[in-house]
Amino acid sequence: MVQFVTIAVIARHLSSDDLASYFVVMGIVLATYFAAGLGLPDGLVRHVPRTSITSRTTAVALLKRAFLISLATVPVGGAFCGLAIGIVTESGLIGLLAGTWWVCYGVIFVSAQVVVASGSPNLGSAIFYTFANVGQILLTVPLVLAGMASLTETLLATCVGCGLAALISLGLAVTKQRRTDIPPSLAMNRSEVPPLGTVWRDGAFMGAARIVQGCLIWSPVWAAGVILPGADTANVALAGRLTSAVGAVIAAIRFSIRPELATNAASGNWAAIERRGRSIALAASSIAVLSIVGAAALADPVLTAAFGTEFSGAHWILVAMLFATLAESFGGPVDEVLRMSGYAREAFVAQAVLLPAGFGAEVIAAALAGPVALASTFAAVVGALYGYFVAKLYRSEGVLVLTPPLSRVMSTPTRLVSNADEAAEATAKS
């Protein structure tokens, strides 16, 4: 709801062309800020809980050291992002503001990961998914309403709101890593050098996968920007942001349960992972279905009232994109299960292969049939990716993380074969 209000206010105060430009800049920032920390933050979430099983001292030292290194990379990433956007837009001011926005999100991302790794997954998830939105509703929206309505002024107002969220996030992370809730182990007196190399190697693939995933999420907006006029691009971007707001429910759950997944995978407790994954898949799929039905029935008048008549075309685009959320929800947290159990490289490769293919298909669909076809193609691409994730985990570990109605159907052939084998073996013995 907070994100809906923020977007509605900005959409009301920017022209269609400026709004399209705002969304394009937003897409670049939100798709790439996961590079903050160069993979160390993701690696921490996997390795700190595992390390604490044998040595709490080592786990705490690893957390603090990697936190400082991760923060040091944030200004560098912001500078690269700002420079790239400044060159593309031919505006140094827009580049500076975009780089500042990137830095704010980078600090929030690193802080949230450190809080999750320190033993507070719910607080870390709240930092990652809500703090920036709260900062924008408290500062960005009032500044836009007060008259900061040009593209550069709106970007500045956005930086102010996100800056507040970044400062609070950083303060909480510093506090948590000093008073970590990592459970004590049986070997707290062990003294080892924190395995930063191992953490970085694992985390690098997870971080790269996040960037590719972010690019995939924003690919419809970029595809629309290549082919479609500014008004259609704005409609696609609006539908994409509202879709992300719905998908944030499952995303927040995935973000918070990663230490649990890493610990269960390390101990071989795949039954617990499967049960947890299926329950999350069922809840997320239910939300996605309700969202699709609600959008089909109510989105047109709601979008028109909130954003203006020029955005009535986003109605069916939103419905089509919500099918991507449904496809993602069927597998629950399957992507995070793969990353936390040693298959981060395979997940990254699948995303990296599918991203350019999907983008090309979206551009063709937009050119041939317009924005609704583009959104439908995007949903099909997401469905293919998560279908692969489910199949990969099942083939590798025999774990079927899938929403229960589908998991029962998919499991039936395996059970029948197993029962037939058991019967044959019993007959042979007799």
Side-chain angles (χ1 to χ4, degrees), residues 332-372:
V334 63
D335 51 345
E336 295 296 354
V337 174
L338 287 170
R339 295 183 186 113
M340 293 295 112
S341 57
Y343 297 101
R345 181 178 307 196
E346 289 83 349
F348 167 70
V349 170
Q351 291 170 305
V353 169
L354 196 60
L355 174 61
F359 180 77
E362 290 164 15
V363 169
I364 294 172
L368 294 178
V372 176

Side-chain angles (χ1 to χ4, degrees), residues 261-303:
L261 296 175
T263 302
N264 284 333
S267 60
N269 193 359
W270 291 103
I273 291 176
E274 188 172 65
R275 286 194 303 271
R276 188 85 151 109
R278 289 183 180 184
S279 65
I280 293 172
L282 179 60
S285 299
S286 301
I287 293 172
V289 170
L290 291 174
S291 299
I292 291 171
V293 173
L298 302 173
D300 193 20
V302 170
L303 292 179

Side-chain angles (χ1 to χ4, degrees), residues 212-221 240-241 244 321 328 355 378:
V212 174
Q213 183 78 357
C215 291
L216 180 62
I217 291 171
W218 281 93
S219 62
V221 180
R241 295 315 300 153
S244 295
M321 281 193 170
E328 177 184 1
L355 174 61
F378 167 68

Side-chain angles (χ1 to χ4, degrees), residues 368-397:
L368 294 178
V372 176
L374 184 158
S376 301
T377 303
F378 167 68
V381 170
V382 172
L385 177 63
Y386 279 84
Y388 167 79
F389 285 160
V390 171
K392 170 62 183 175
L393 183 62
Y394 186 63
R395 287 197 307 268
S396 299
E397 299 294 344

Side-chain angles (χ1 to χ4, degrees), residues 13 26 28 34 51 58 82 88 91 135 142 149 186 245 247 303 307 343 373 396 408-409 414 417:
H13 287 79
M26 176 190 285
I28 296 173
F34 301 114
T51 304
T58 302
V88 170
S91 170
L186 299 177
L303 292 179
F307 300 97
Y343 297 101
S396 299
R408 284 193 290 269
V409 172
T414 303
V417 171

Side-chain angles (χ1 to χ4, degrees), residues 35-127:
L38 301 177
L40 272 177
D42 274 301
L44 283 176
V45 175
R46 184 183 182 214
H47 282 278
V48 167
R50 294 159 60 96
T51 304
S52 68
I53 295 175
T54 55
S55 174
R56 185 177 187 271
T57 303
T58 302
V60 172
L62 172 62
L63 181 67
K64 293 181 178 180
R65 189 175 175 190
F67 181 30
L68 293 176
I69 294 174
S70 297
L71 285 177
T73 68
V74 172
V76 179
F80 274 109
C81 178
L83 180 62
I85 291 178
I87 292 174
V88 170
T89 60
E90 298 182 348
S91 170
L93 180 57
I94 291 178
L96 176 63
L97 293 171
T100 303
W101 192 358
W102 197 100
V103 167
C104 293
Y105 263 99
V107 170
I108 293 171
F109 174 67
V110 171
S111 300
Q113 297 274 45
V114 167
V115 171
V116 171
S118 71
S120 300
N122 292 332
L123 177 59
S125 182
I127 290 173

Side-chain angles (χ1 to χ4, degrees), residues 189-208:
N189 60 347
R190 280 183 63 187
S191 177
E192 296 180 357
V193 177
L196 277 179
T198 300
V199 174
W200 180 81
R201 282 192 296 273
D202 284 353
F205 281 105
M206 298 182 204

